[in-house]
Amino acid sequence: MTRADFWCRVLGWLQIIGAAICGAAIWWLWEVILGWIEIDSGGFFTLLKWLIILFFTGPPFFSGLLTVVFANKVEQARQGFRENPHWALRVATALAGLWSAGVIGFAGVSVPALGVFAVLGLISAVIAIMGADWTADLLKPNEAQS
């Protein structure tokens, strides 16, 4: 496959699925390790569990979601619609990718770098910086030389 929009979608869905698997693993570990404790805390530990899950899975999920949306713009650029540079989407995708990689934080909080998410987030940031036009031209098939 030489379509850049396909690979952008693969990148985005890998991040979304990885975030879901990471969230399920955290939930499962919480239940295994702390599930046997019967403490009536008014939901404090439940809130804490979901905040931890959101802390670890939020950045890769949002990075993946914005990368999938960005793939639509790459597909439009590949089909010849190259008038709009989509600056807001490019900036949001790049920042989400850098947040997922642990390079930048939100309100002073940076997600710990989890190897795969860091690499996928950096790739998302790079394709957002390159823009839809350049990304669409990056993986196009070679033209026949005559």
Side-chain angles (χ1 to χ4, degrees):
M1 267 279 160
T2 58
R3 292 178 32 205
D5 56 311
F6 171 79
W7 290 110
C8 286
R9 283 188 181 87
V10 168
L11 176 67
W13 281 108
L14 280 175
Q15 291 178 6
I16 291 171
I17 292 168
I21 291 171
C22 182
I26 293 170
W27 182 80
W28 180 77
L29 285 172
W30 185 281
E31 292 300 320
V32 167
I33 295 171
L34 299 175
W36 59 274
I37 300 174
E38 296 293 330
I39 299 175
D40 186 20
S41 61
F44 172 75
F45 289 111
T46 303
L47 176 67
L48 182 64
K49 173 178 65 174
W50 288 108
L51 285 176
I52 290 170
I53 289 173
L54 183 64
F55 178 72
F56 280 98
T57 62
F61 176 79
F62 289 122
S63 177
L65 184 66
L66 288 173
T67 303
V68 170
V69 171
F70 186 76
N72 293 332
K73 305 307 177 193
V74 173
E75 181 180 15
Q76 290 174 0
R78 187 178 56 81
Q79 293 173 349
F81 302 109
R82 297 176 179 247
E83 296 85 30
N84 193 353
H86 311 287
W87 286 106
L89 179 61
R90 287 176 64 185
V91 169
T93 304
L95 290 177
L98 291 174
W99 186 29
S100 176
V103 175
I104 61 172
F106 177 71
V109 177
S110 178
V111 70
L114 301 173
V116 175
F117 291 144
V119 172
L120 295 176
L122 288 175
I123 294 171
S124 290
V126 167
I127 64 168
I129 291 169
M130 288 186 339
D133 298 343
W134 193 13
T135 304
D137 293 338
L138 185 65
L139 296 175
K140 69 180 182 178
N142 292 334
E143 302 291 331
Q145 304 270 334
S146 53

